[in-house]
């Protein structure tokens, strides 16, 4: 069973289901599994060095012949180099957590790469659409990781009313009911992070997955203490300590994590400073927030890669509290699409022609 939408037509995928580019999670195995199941899998390159991204693209291509995407930090100092890699490797989709410059969009589109930025407000969707973006992903406040204050049910229609390019809904989706609802709003598909994190192909340690599955609907919290901007995650003892820590203590920890991030990525201090300057301009951050940005990558890695839930953070959408299983990606997507199609048909049956006299 298939649902044809502007998103499936744009990219050439079977199902309007997107697996988001989650740092430390969205690697070749998960992305290829999503692509092979008919959805759009997106590699997370923000937590990869350039060489690691080269290897990840090659590995993904060895596991699937279907379209997939790569998420790129538009403000990264090597963003252009990464874009040229996507073009040379004929990657189908380039996604961005921040709006890319007009020139970057043009370069990708000229090479036949579909450009899909993630946005958090209707005005941002209007801007990237005017620059040539092919579609947008809009995430409401229910979503995990960096998120905004407006619920998907309000943010989505505001964006749909503002642009005429395909809009993919994110934040609070995990099953066929959600996909059917999003399509009814006018969206071209849904994007999910937490739901894909909790699958068999996700490389997150089993003990960490168990921690997610044990949580309820009220067990996420939005905090700015991790990296200076709102971040939705599971509420843990570490998060509680961060919430009650003073500014200097948090900044001191962030400086240490920045040094670890430098060592892990092999980046020079000069490159980190250039990235920091770009972040300040792009996100209007203070220097304290720029330094704290290293916290997010390192604390997420501690939990999602190393399994140290006591020393790391667990980005999580509110859907965590309603997910109770670990399906394969193929089973997950098939069930979502089948259920959505059934619900759409059921709703259509409610439409009754007026009686004629």
């Amino acid at each position: 069973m298939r649902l044809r939408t502007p998103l499936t037509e744009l990219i050439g995928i079977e199902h309007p289901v997107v697996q988001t580019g989650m740092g430390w999670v969205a690697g070749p195995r998960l992305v290829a599994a999503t692509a092979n199941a008919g959805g759009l899998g997106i590699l997370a390159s923000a937590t990869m060095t350039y060489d690691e991204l080269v290897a990840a693209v090659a590995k993904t291509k060895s596991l699937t012949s279907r379209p997939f995407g790569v998420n790129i930090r538009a403000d990264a100092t090597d963003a252009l180099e990464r874009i040229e890699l996507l073009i040379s490797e004929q990657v189908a989709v380039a996604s961005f957590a921040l709006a890319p410059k007009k020139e970057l969009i043009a370069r990708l589109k000229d090479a036949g790469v579909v450009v899909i930025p993630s946005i958090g407000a209707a005005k941002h969707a209007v801007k990237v659409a005017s620059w040539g973006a092919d579609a947008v992903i809009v995430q409401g406040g229910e979503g995990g990781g960096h998120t905004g204050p407006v619920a998907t049910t309000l943010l989505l229609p505001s964006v749909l009313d503002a642009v005429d390019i395909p809009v993919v809904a994110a934040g609070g989706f995990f099953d066929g009911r959600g996909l059917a609802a999003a399509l009814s709003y006018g969206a071209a598909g849904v994007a999910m992070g937490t739901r894909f994190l909790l699958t068999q192909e996700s490389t997150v340690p089993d003990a960490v997955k168990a921690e997610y599955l044990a949580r309820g609907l009220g067990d996420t919290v939005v905090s700015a203490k991790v990296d200076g901007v709102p971040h939705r995650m599971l509420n843990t003892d570490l998060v509680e300590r961060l919430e009650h820590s003073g500014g200097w203590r948090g900044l001191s920890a962030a400086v240490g994590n920045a040094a670890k991030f430098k060592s892990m990525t092999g980046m020079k201090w000069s490159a980190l400073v250039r990235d920091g300057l770009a972040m300040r301009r792009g996100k209007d951050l203070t220097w304290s927030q720029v330094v704290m940005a290293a916290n997010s990558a390192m604390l997420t890695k501690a939990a999602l890669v190393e399994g140290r839930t006591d020393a790391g953070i667990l980005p999580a959408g509110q859907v965590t509290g309603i997910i109770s299983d670990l399906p394969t990606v193929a089973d997950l997507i098939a069930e979502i699409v089948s259920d959505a199609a059934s619900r759409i048909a059921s709703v259509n049956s409610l439409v009754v022609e007026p009686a004629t006299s």
Side-chain angles (χ1 to χ4, degrees), residues 72-161:
I72 298 174
R73 259 187 56 200
D75 59 350
T77 53
D78 64 349
L80 184 57
E81 186 178 8
R82 291 174 185 246
I83 283 171
E84 292 301 328
L85 172 66
L86 267 62
I87 293 171
S88 65
E89 292 295 327
Q90 298 182 314
V91 173
V93 175
S95 79
F96 296 88
L98 294 173
K101 294 180 180 178
K102 185 177 182 179
E103 295 76 16
L104 294 184
I105 295 177
R107 173 67 183 125
L108 287 161
K109 286 177 64 68
D110 287 345
V113 180
V114 175
V115 180
I116 307 180
S118 294
I119 53 89
K123 63 180 181 180
H124 300 147
V126 170
K127 179 174 68 174
V128 296
S130 71
W131 288 353
D134 296 290
V136 291
I137 296 175
V138 53
Q139 177 177 304
E142 300 95 322
H146 293 121
T147 195
V150 182
T152 303
T153 50
L154 298 175
L155 185 59
L156 177 59
S158 74
V159 174
L160 287 165
D161 288 344

Side-chain angles (χ1 to χ4, degrees), residues 90-294:
Q90 298 182 314
V91 173
V93 175
S95 79
F96 296 88
L98 294 173
K101 294 180 180 178
K102 185 177 182 179
E103 295 76 16
L104 294 184
I105 295 177
R107 173 67 183 125
L108 287 161
K109 286 177 64 68
D110 287 345
V113 180
V114 175
V115 180
I116 307 180
S118 294
I119 53 89
K123 63 180 181 180
H124 300 147
V126 170
K127 179 174 68 174
V128 296
S130 71
W131 288 353
D134 296 290
V136 291
I137 296 175
V138 53
Q139 177 177 304
E142 300 95 322
H146 293 121
T147 195
V150 182
T152 303
T153 50
L154 298 175
L155 185 59
L156 177 59
S158 74
V159 174
L160 287 165
D161 288 344
V163 296
D164 58 5
I165 59 176
V167 176
V168 180
F173 297 100
F174 66 98
D175 65 358
R177 291 173 294 184
L179 175 56
L183 296 179
S184 296
Y185 269 100
V190 296
M192 304 182 296
T194 304
R195 177 64 276 194
F196 278 103
L197 184 153
L198 294 171
T199 59
Q200 294 292 319
E201 288 86 353
S202 164
T203 56
V204 172
D206 289 342
V208 177
K209 292 179 183 177
E211 179 72 14
Y212 277 89
L213 293 176
R215 296 307 192 97
L217 281 173
D219 286 339
T220 65
V221 62
V222 176
S223 173
K225 283 297 187 77
V226 172
D227 57 6
V229 291
H231 198 121
R232 185 178 292 282
M233 65 201 82
L234 292 184
N235 197 6
T236 63
D237 290 341
L238 173 62
V239 172
E240 286 285 341
R241 292 197 301 272
L242 287 173
E243 278 293 287
H244 294 93
S245 65
W248 281 109
R249 180 180 176 185
L251 186 58
S252 174
V255 170
N257 276 326
K260 293 177 184 177
F261 188 74
K262 171 184 176 295
S263 176
M264 178 189 69
T265 60
M267 292 179 68
K268 296 180 179 179
W269 281 113
S270 58
L272 285 175
V273 171
R274 286 197 301 273
D275 272 0
L277 288 169
M279 289 176 68
R280 285 197 77 200
R281 288 193 296 269
K283 300 180 183 179
D284 192 27
L285 304 180
T286 66
W287 272 115
S288 175
Q289 289 172 318
V290 168
V291 174
M292 287 177 71

